[in-house]
Amino acid sequence: MFAVRRPAVVSRFFSTIAKNMEKHGVVPDVISVAPQEVAQVSYPSGVKVDQGNELTPTQVKDQPTVQWQADANAFYTLCMTDPDAPSRKEPNFREWHHWLVGNIPGQDVSKGEVLSAYVGSGPPPNTGLHRYVFLIYKQNGKLNFDEPRLPNNSGDNRAGFSIRKFAEKYLLQEPVAGNFYQAKYDDYVPILYKQLGA
């Protein structure tokens, strides 16, 4: 009985993530097709990412734990990107990427190759809600990335990013899992800007 019902459960989750990504414009602003799986994203502050829920920059300042149904013998790429820089109305710097890790064995992000170290949300004052999108791509084996390695104490080389173009460059197909939250300015943002040398 359970085996018969399981596909319906999977398709319901899929339709939910697809519906929410389309509702909030993640599809088509960031990706063309929504992933089938909802990635589980949990922050040390205790909050969880839930398909467009609103979190604060203070709550998401530290690197989260990300989990998805991974093939233990495969490698994955994880990206967190903001398509609303500096604002959703005028996304002149789309996308500003916050985190990029490649060659993740299975779902052990800690053993992946950090291309861009994690930087939390820093939406400027009076720019409204920004969308922060997590995407996981399955790789066709281990890759040689020629991207610059970006530390978390500088904002250089993070704007003007496109996860769509990055995926095309490394033949990553469509994302296999994803999630997103929204955030607007709070008192932590000036601290983050100082960390980034702004």
Side-chain angles (χ1 to χ4, degrees):
M1 186 73 174
F2 180 71
V4 173
R5 294 170 59 189
R6 189 178 172 89
V9 173
V10 172
S11 66
R12 189 166 70 242
F13 276 118
F14 173 52
S15 63
T16 304
I17 185 79
K19 198 180 296 177
N20 284 321
M21 284 192 164
E22 286 167 14
K23 174 185 170 187
H24 291 281
V26 174
V27 175
D29 289 353
V30 181
I31 49 176
S32 303
V33 180
Q36 293 191 27
E37 184 192 342
V38 179
Q40 305 303 314
V41 184
S42 307
Y43 279 91
S45 65
V47 300
K48 294 186 177 185
V49 175
D50 187 15
Q51 301 185 55
N53 60 329
E54 189 175 336
L55 302 174
T56 69
T58 301
Q59 291 173 320
V60 300
K61 65 185 179 66
D62 300 311
Q63 182 176 307
T65 300
V66 184
Q67 295 179 306
W68 65 95
Q69 291 180 9
D71 175 348
N73 299 311
F75 290 96
Y76 294 84
T77 292
L78 163 67
C79 176
M80 174 188 170
T81 191
D82 170 11
D84 302 323
S87 71
R88 191 161 177 180
K89 284 184 180 176
E90 295 182 9
N92 303 332
F93 304 129
R94 174 177 294 174
E95 300 155 21
W96 204 97
H97 74 286
H98 286 253
W99 196 21
L100 190 60
V101 185
N103 290 330
I104 299 167
Q107 62 173 339
D108 192 345
V109 177
S110 68
K111 290 185 178 169
E113 187 177 342
V114 179
L115 308 178
S116 301
Y118 181 83
V119 172
S121 298
N126 307 311
T127 59
L129 287 169
H130 288 227
R131 297 163 293 174
Y132 296 89
V133 184
F134 292 86
L135 296 166
I136 293 109
Y137 293 82
K138 190 174 185 179
Q139 300 176 189
N140 297 316
K142 200 163 188 181
L143 296 171
N144 290 317
F145 293 101
D146 63 6
E147 312 303 308
R149 301 314 193 258
L150 305 180
N152 66 358
N153 61 358
S154 169
D156 293 347
N157 299 312
R158 288 181 182 260
F161 180 79
S162 167
I163 187 57
R164 193 183 265 120
K165 288 180 181 173
F166 180 91
E168 285 172 5
K169 178 179 177 180
Y170 292 103
L171 307 175
L172 297 178
Q173 311 297 320
E174 300 295 345
V176 295
N179 211 333
F180 69 106
Y181 67 88
Q182 301 181 85
K184 60 187 175 185
Y185 179 89
D186 79 354
D187 292 343
Y188 173 70
V189 175
I191 299 169
L192 177 62
Y193 287 178
K194 194 172 181 183
Q195 173 189 317
L196 296 174

